[in-house]
Amino acid sequence: MTLPLVIGNWKMNSLVSPACDMARSLAHKLVAVEGVEVVIAPPFTSLYPVGQIIKDSKLSLAGQNCYFENSGAFTGEISLEMLQDVGCGFILIGHSERRSVFGENDALINKKVHQTLKAGLTAVLCVGENLAQRKADETFKVLEMQLSQGLAGLPGLSQIVIAYEPVWAIGTGVNATPQQAVEVHAFIRHYIFEKLGFSEKIRIIYGGSVNPENSKNLLQEKEINGALVGGASLKLESFCAIINSALEP
Ligand code: PEP
């Protein structure tokens, strides 16, 4: 059975003290929980203290972004060594906000994925179409491009998670239906296996307005191996409810 993965992406929210409180409470809530892997991605300023708090817990830590160089004159960037140093085991790469707000393209994203794997961390590659692309029936074409370019040059056994995050569902309150998500997940799985030579067992998680009301229906689908949660991961109750719905009934 594939272990479901639930990642909380806190984005640019939370100061150090509330971030630490949240991590502490979450770690406590998860003490007796088995059968789900839970990861949190706080802002950079909270990574070190949160990493210290959760280091002996069931929680893992993720960076929301990284740069592909190890060190040097790259003002404002953060290296994988730095992220690893504070306890990150996962790195989100190519989130749609990085693509649309900060202009990241597939070539840059591919370099970040390579460097993440080289550092021995798990890359969470985010892909997804926007509304215009979905309406124009271009979803699969967009995904083929993002996947073939984002994963270019990588061996099939790479430590990768794919997060399918339709841009129209992120932060909008409009989630993909389980049917829509399953259709795309099945496409991604088939594509990366048949065309790119990756394992069929790679976890493909869904992100986009996941909340306690819709998480059960999404996460009970076999094709959906977990969730990338934004807004609803900022509150203990809603995030825990989503984690619970990833558990076997
Ligand atoms: C995200 O940040 O990746 C995300 C899916 O956000 P939200 O859950 O708020 O839509």
Side-chain angles (χ1 to χ4, degrees), residues 11-212:
K11 309 195 188 193
M12 199 173 74
N13 294 295
S14 198
L15 301 179
V16 172
S17 173
C20 289
D21 290 345
M22 172 72 173
R24 209 171 282 115
S25 308
L26 195 52
H28 183 68
K29 287 261 187 198
L30 293 179
V31 167
V33 174
E34 301 288 344
V36 58
E37 187 171 11
V38 183
V39 178
I40 48 175
F44 291 144
T45 48
S46 296
L47 281 176
Y48 178 71
V50 165
Q52 292 298 303
I53 289 167
I54 66 172
K55 69 172 189 266
D56 296 318
S57 78
K58 296 212 171 115
L59 277 169
S60 300
L61 197 63
Q64 295 178 16
N65 185 26
C66 66
Y67 196 55
F68 62 85
E69 296 285 359
N70 289 331
S71 61
F74 303 103
T75 303
E77 293 297 327
I78 187 154
S79 76
L80 284 148
E81 196 183 23
M82 292 166 182
L83 292 163
Q84 202 166 24
D85 189 38
V86 295
C88 289
F90 292 74
I91 310 291
L92 307 185
I93 302 176
H95 190 281
S96 77
E97 286 147 22
R98 299 295 321 166
R99 294 175 189 261
S100 65
V101 183
F102 301 101
E104 292 197 7
N105 61 25
D106 289 313
L108 173 63
I109 288 163
N110 180 247
K111 286 186 183 171
K112 294 183 178 196
V113 175
H114 272 269
Q115 203 62 18
T116 299
L117 300 178
K118 213 167 137 197
L121 307 182
T122 299
V124 182
L125 174 65
C126 305
V127 294
E129 80 289 359
N130 64 29
L131 190 57
Q133 291 162 336
R134 176 159 277 262
K135 283 189 172 157
D137 216 6
E138 290 173 358
T139 298
F140 295 154
K141 191 178 101 188
V142 169
L143 290 168
E144 278 187 14
M145 184 109 88
Q146 292 175 341
L147 291 165
S148 61
Q149 296 188 7
L151 298 174
L154 294 168
L157 282 175
S158 302
Q159 254 177 264
I160 287 195
V161 172
I162 307 284
Y164 169 55
E165 297 210 296
V167 181
W168 47 271
I170 298 180
T172 59
V174 182
N175 61 286
T177 63
Q179 292 72 17
Q180 285 172 321
V182 165
E183 183 191 26
V184 176
H185 283 221
F187 169 80
I188 293 174
R189 199 175 300 285
H190 182 77
Y191 182 75
I192 61 174
F193 178 64
E194 290 290 336
K195 296 277 189 293
L196 305 181
F198 286 85
S199 163
E200 272 181 308
K201 297 208 171 81
I202 277 187
R203 285 185 288 187
I204 305 175
I205 62 176
Y206 167 77
S209 295
V210 176
N211 61 39

Side-chain angles (χ1 to χ4, degrees), residues 105 149 221 245 247:
N105 61 25
Q149 296 188 7
E221 296 288 350
S245 57
L247 299 170

